[in-house]
Amino acid sequence: MSDKVQKETKMYIYVVDVIFVAWNNERGQLLKRLRGKKSRQKLADEIAATGGECSHQNIKKLEYGESESVSIKVLEAICAALDISLSDFLSTLEVTN
């Protein structure tokens, strides 16, 4: 018997072309872990200090997986406040219309 080799197709897109990123509980838990002991309000204040917009209520919704998607601008602002890169946060990008 011969082993079947499964080929994987990858599609690359420019982040500047992404408007929204699909969100799920797994990403919410990652956000919560990265936030650590920092309060949601403190994180929201740090996001605002970098020129971004994301309320502590929105952070809570993201952490609890209550959002279906998040704008790339908000996610970039969160990552900047957490001092991580967007690519470190996301393993795959899912684009929604």
Side-chain angles (χ1 to χ4, degrees), residues 4-5 9 33-34 37 45-47 58 67 82 97:
K4 290 185 178 181
V5 177
T9 303
R33 280 194 311 272
L34 290 170
K37 294 183 180 185
D45 292 343
E46 290 176 1
I47 291 167
N58 193 24
S67 298
L82 292 172
N97 295 332

Side-chain angles (χ1 to χ4, degrees), residues 14-78:
Y14 293 104
V15 172
V16 295
D17 294 331
V18 175
I19 299 170
F20 291 99
V21 174
W23 199 257
N24 57 33
N25 286 331
E26 183 180 319
R27 289 185 174 148
Q29 290 301 312
L30 175 59
L31 173 57
K32 190 174 182 178
R33 280 194 311 272
L34 290 170
R35 179 174 58 84
K37 294 183 180 185
K38 184 183 301 186
S39 73
R40 289 184 193 103
Q41 184 60 57
K42 173 85 171 145
L43 180 57
D45 292 343
E46 290 176 1
I47 291 167
T50 64
E53 292 183 27
C54 188
S55 68
H56 71 278
Q57 295 96 339
N58 193 24
I59 294 169
K60 180 180 178 182
K61 285 181 180 181
L62 290 170
E63 288 181 351
Y64 283 92
E66 295 173 358
S67 298
E68 291 182 12
S69 63
V70 63
S71 76
I72 195 73
K73 289 186 182 281
V74 168
L75 192 53
E76 286 175 326
I78 291 170

